[in-house]
Amino acid sequence: MFYSDDVQRTYGELTAKGVKFLAAPSKMFFGWWSMFEDGEGNRYALGEQWGTNNPL
């Protein structure tokens, strides 16, 4: 899992560079979360924990 201070911003930056996301970021009970994959089909999570950028 990879962490970001701002998942929505990171999603936009990576999408602009051609990274394939399986879904747009979504707000979960633990914070923001999304999933992307590399050129070989390996999947990775991108998360933002509450308190880093968005308070509860």
Side-chain angles (χ1 to χ4, degrees):
M1 179 159 199
F2 293 90
Y3 289 98
S4 170
D5 290 337
D6 187 335
V7 166
Q8 293 173 298
R9 182 190 74 230
T10 302
Y11 168 82
E13 292 170 353
L14 293 176
T15 300
K17 293 179 180 181
V19 175
K20 180 182 174 186
F21 278 81
L22 304 175
S26 57
K27 188 176 179 181
M28 308 296 255
F29 71 92
F30 53 81
W32 285 90
W33 181 86
S34 190
M35 186 175 283
F36 63 96
E37 62 182 25
D38 64 17
E40 296 178 0
N42 298 304
R43 294 180 176 185
Y44 302 94
L46 175 64
E48 174 185 333
Q49 295 178 325
W50 289 120
T52 57
N53 191 38
N54 296 307
L56 288 174

